[in-house]
Amino acid sequence: MTHNSEDDRSSRIENVRGVFLIAILICYCARAEQAKTVTMNDQCSVVLKGGKVECMVTLDGDGTEPKSHPTGKEWDFWFEQIGKLRTLVPQNGTRFAKPASVDFGKAGCQAATFKTGRLRVDPLPAGSHVCVRSASGHYAELILNAELIRDASARAANDELRFSYVLWD
């Protein structure tokens, strides 16, 4: 009878381990489902929740139209290039933390010090991590996927910025 009791106990321990492993996998998958990759051109705005990107394009071609970007309360930031300067410009109260070469994770982003103003991205190497706090209270970690992608045309000054991010509530 003691032997059966030991078998039952071992079986229960294995069941608990199995449930625990499933819970870990569910948490990991939930984080992975929130990961997105975004490519932005000059004058594009992004909403991190949902990964929405919209850009303003001037079609007159004479260069006299001022640059513009989508505006509205839902936008978190926009990408701007002026000459060789490339920046992320916060919108609607979004703030950026100092970039780093390591993964912050949710706790690291929540504990980060955020500042107002633009974030220069042109000097940052691929793989740089940046924490973002949106006005709606969401935290995100941006990971620059590659160096800025230069336009193939020698005349064009258009670059693309590609990054992945994880968004937390």
Side-chain angles (χ1 to χ4, degrees):
M1 192 164 215
T2 307
H3 180 65
N4 285 341
S5 177
E6 283 294 319
D7 287 343
D8 288 345
R9 183 171 177 219
S10 284
S11 178
R12 282 185 294 207
I13 289 172
E14 288 302 315
N15 286 341
V16 168
R17 284 183 188 158
V19 169
F20 183 69
L21 181 59
I22 289 170
I24 288 172
L25 289 173
I26 289 170
C27 290
Y28 178 77
C29 290
R31 178 178 174 174
E33 288 176 359
Q34 295 176 31
K36 298 200 180 299
T37 299
V38 171
T39 300
M40 300 175 71
N41 293 323
D42 184 28
Q43 306 310 121
C44 292
S45 291
V46 66
V47 179
L48 292 171
K49 188 166 186 167
K52 179 179 170 184
V53 177
E54 285 186 13
C55 307
M56 300 290 282
V57 178
T58 304
L59 298 176
D60 69 357
D62 67 4
T64 60
E65 295 294 318
K67 288 184 174 185
S68 185
H69 60 86
T71 59
K73 292 182 180 182
E74 76 260 356
W75 301 106
D76 292 316
F77 58 86
W78 57 285
F79 177 49
E80 179 181 45
Q81 57 183 31
I82 301 171
K84 293 181 179 183
L85 181 71
R86 306 294 184 261
T87 60
L88 296 180
V89 183
Q91 291 178 265
N92 303 309
T94 295
R95 295 178 181 228
F96 299 105
K98 184 178 178 179
S101 60
V102 296
D103 185 5
F104 287 96
K106 182 178 181 179
C109 282
Q110 289 174 327
T113 301
F114 293 89
K115 64 177 194 130
T116 59
R118 301 167 184 260
L119 173 68
R120 245 185 109 177
V121 295
D122 52 286
L124 299 178
S128 293
H129 294 250
V130 178
C131 289
V132 180
R133 185 179 68 213
S134 71
S136 61
H138 293 97
Y139 289 89
E141 182 171 352
L142 309 182
I143 302 103
L144 299 182
N145 292 352
E147 303 292 338
L148 289 171
I149 302 165
R150 306 286 181 213
D151 191 302
S153 166
R155 272 185 54 224
N158 294 329
D159 293 342
E160 291 182 337
L161 174 67
R162 185 175 304 133
F163 61 88
S164 298
Y165 69 93
V166 178
L167 179 70
W168 301 282
D169 290 328

